[in-house]
Amino acid sequence: MSRITLIDPANATGQTSEQLAQIKGAFGMVPNMFKAAANSPAALSSLWGAFGALGGGRLGAKLGEQIAVAIADRNNCSYCLAAHTGLGRKAGATAQEMAEAQAGRSADPRTAAALTFVHAVVDKRAGVETADVDTLRSAGFDDGEIVEIVAHVALNLFTNYLNVALDVPVDFPGVKLTRAVA
């Protein structure tokens, strides 16, 4: 049971109601995470805006979802792991690719470099080395894509913390956490 009220979209008003309707249109439902965030119109706007902006970014949906599951597993966020595993599958990733991403691995060298960097950012609380960034460049990422990876980390840290701290009930098919802490 959630530690805070999950806002019923039928009772929402104003901009919150409009955003929850957009979310329902995108997902076919309003996921509990958004219902939790809707307690703060500012938090909901930030969250939904970030999803939209990064969803249209240069990294692509598949890599974005692989990044999300790598971070979710690291932060013990069952909610995000379940949601992003499903979203990753919809974005074209295989079950194996999502399981590997959850562990921070990929057979694709470019994706592997991104996931290694993401784990370094999370584990070192952003205190990465120049060599960590250089490895991304060597894998073919430019400065814009590197910034976008960091933006994905920030968004996923927010959603992980929201769901874990407030014990938001998972409303996606469950996925087993494998490595909660580095």
Side-chain angles (χ1 to χ4, degrees):
M1 182 162 171
S2 181
R3 293 179 177 136
I4 63 167
T5 302
L6 300 179
I7 301 300
D8 182 344
N11 297 329
T13 60
Q15 183 178 356
T16 299
S17 176
E18 293 170 20
Q19 289 178 325
L20 291 175
Q22 291 169 7
I23 292 162
K24 183 176 182 180
F27 289 94
M29 62 181 249
V30 178
N32 286 337
M33 178 185 71
F34 291 103
K35 292 177 184 177
N39 280 283
S40 165
L44 180 62
S45 290
S46 174
L47 180 60
W48 186 233
F51 269 105
L54 293 175
R58 291 180 45 217
L59 295 180
K62 180 179 171 181
L63 180 54
E65 300 304 338
Q66 290 170 302
I67 289 169
V69 298
I71 296 169
D73 200 68
R74 208 53 150 221
N75 287 324
N76 200 29
C77 185
S78 295
Y79 192 98
C80 287
L81 181 59
H84 290 288
T85 296
L87 292 170
R89 298 284 305 191
K90 286 183 179 180
T94 66
Q96 182 64 32
E97 286 173 318
M98 292 309 292
E100 288 294 307
Q102 180 181 346
R105 298 185 304 261
S106 175
D108 173 64
R110 189 170 194 267
T111 300
L115 297 176
T116 297
F117 180 76
V118 163
H119 273 175
V121 171
V122 172
D123 294 347
K124 297 176 183 180
R125 302 191 190 284
V128 296
E129 306 295 328
T130 300
D132 296 315
V133 176
D134 289 344
T135 298
L136 281 179
R137 283 196 183 96
S138 295
F141 290 98
D142 64 27
D143 287 351
E145 291 167 316
I146 293 168
V147 169
E148 198 170 306
I149 290 170
V150 174
H152 274 276
V153 172
L155 172 59
N156 283 283
L157 288 175
F158 172 57
T159 61
N160 289 183
Y161 289 4
L162 176 72
N163 291 307
V164 173
L166 302 179
D167 200 20
V168 175
V170 178
D171 50 356
F172 290 90
V175 176
K176 186 178 183 207
L177 292 162
T178 58
R179 182 178 175 203
V181 182

